[in-house]
Amino acid sequence: ELKVEQNPLFLSMQEGKNYTIYCNYSTTSDRLYWYRQDPGKSLESLFVLLSNGAVKQEGRLMASLDTKARLSTLHITAAVHDLSATYFCAVDRDRSNYQLIWGAGTKLIIKP
Amino acid sequence: DAMVIQNPRYQVTQFGKPVTLSCSQTLNHNVMYWYQQKSSQAPKLLFHYYDKDFNNEADTPDNFQSRRPNTSFCFLDIRSPGLGDAAMYLCATSSPDSRVHEQYFGPGTRLTVT
């Protein structure tokens, strides 16, 4: 079965702390996507990781991809309240298919 | 700006009363998707189009239908909405011409069934 597993599913943390969200997947995809969703809103693309070893950073968020381990991480540095959201990772079902397989999402709450 | 637009943003319908949600895009993408998302869950793919080719997910109920009259527009028809169909409906697009299958989402339509 094709699966994408995120952990933790829920994370409450204090401002200023660092933390990592993990995304494991079972497909052979070498492309992984991170999306952010604010409550009641749509999904916004954060990062597209295209190959093994890819690392992308935007502000306090950094995403990396290890295709051999089938693992991606989303690292939060010195968290601020504005980063509170649900974060989803997704992978291609396969190269010839235009569907994504989604993780369950990680709900992140950052307390001031 | 190129974008994905959904109308209406909020829709209230009665149990069993047909409803149509619309999506348009200015990205000129070949692929359009409809997702259903319930609270605190991942988006669930209902179907997608590659140009005019329709691809239905095996577990999408027959109650859900879709039309894509041209590249820019796609519609989701719910023939007889039930209480369980209350959800956020998200339209997305992607371009097979690019190496990635990054999907671009519209703002969503929040459907309430009374």
Side-chain angles (χ1 to χ4, degrees):
Chain A
E1 182 190 353
L2 303 176
K3 289 194 300 186
V4 177
E5 294 183 336
Q6 287 182 238
N7 72 84
L9 299 182
F10 179 81
L11 177 58
S12 178
M13 56 193 290
Q14 295 292 128
E15 277 193 325
K17 300 289 187 184
N18 303 332
Y19 210 82
T20 301
I21 299 170
Y22 297 89
C23 176
N24 289 91
Y25 58 95
S26 64
T27 74
T28 56
S29 176
D30 59 358
R31 294 177 287 203
L32 189 133
Y33 311 84
W34 283 99
Y35 286 84
R36 169 181 172 148
Q37 187 174 37
D38 292 308
K41 304 290 187 183
S42 187
L43 284 92
E44 173 191 357
S45 180
L46 285 177
F47 299 111
V48 178
L49 302 169
L50 294 179
S51 60
N52 186 42
V55 177
K56 289 202 173 176
Q57 183 161 5
E58 179 76 30
R60 299 174 187 275
L61 299 177
M62 183 173 72
S64 65
L65 178 61
D66 180 344
T67 59
K68 293 178 182 176
R70 300 185 184 177
L71 170 69
S72 180
T73 59
L74 181 65
H75 187 74
I76 303 147
T77 301
V80 292
H81 179 66
D82 287 352
L83 291 178
S84 297
T86 298
Y87 293 87
F88 290 96
C89 64
V91 297
D92 290 335
R93 182 179 293 270
D94 59 54
R95 281 186 174 272
S96 61
N97 190 296
Y98 304 104
Q99 298 174 36
L100 298 180
I101 302 175
W102 294 84
T106 296
K107 185 172 183 177
L108 176 63
I109 295 177
I110 300 170
K111 300 174 183 175
Chain B
D1 285 340
M3 54 199 312
V4 182
I5 302 162
Q6 290 187 244
N7 285 301
R9 297 291 306 278
Y10 301 91
Q11 176 74 58
V12 180
T13 191
Q14 293 177 333
F15 182 95
K17 186 174 181 182
V19 66
T20 295
L21 310 182
S22 74
C23 176
S24 64
Q25 54 128 342
T26 60
L27 297 161
N28 204 33
H29 283 171
N30 296 86
V31 189
M32 294 186 77
Y33 310 80
W34 278 106
Y35 286 93
Q36 179 193 66
Q37 187 181 31
K38 297 189 175 179
S39 183
S40 304
Q41 296 182 20
K44 179 182 182 299
L45 182 65
L46 296 173
F47 20 63
H48 75 277
Y49 280 92
Y50 186 137
D51 292 327
K52 288 253 184 201
D53 291 336
F54 176 71
N55 298 272
N56 197 34
E57 290 299 290
D59 59 353
T60 298
D62 291 340
N63 197 27
F64 292 86
Q65 304 285 315
S66 186
R67 296 169 282 137
R68 189 179 185 185
N70 54 53
T71 300
S72 301
F73 286 87
C74 196
F75 299 96
L76 170 62
D77 300 309
I78 308 176
R79 294 193 296 187
S80 182
L83 297 178
D85 297 327
M88 174 78 92
Y89 289 88
L90 297 166
C91 174
T93 72
S94 73
S95 171
D97 295 332
S98 71
R99 192 182 153 218
V100 300
H101 299 155
E102 183 180 11
Q103 295 185 11
Y104 299 82
F105 284 83
T109 295
R110 170 77 61 189
L111 178 68
T112 300
V113 182
T114 61

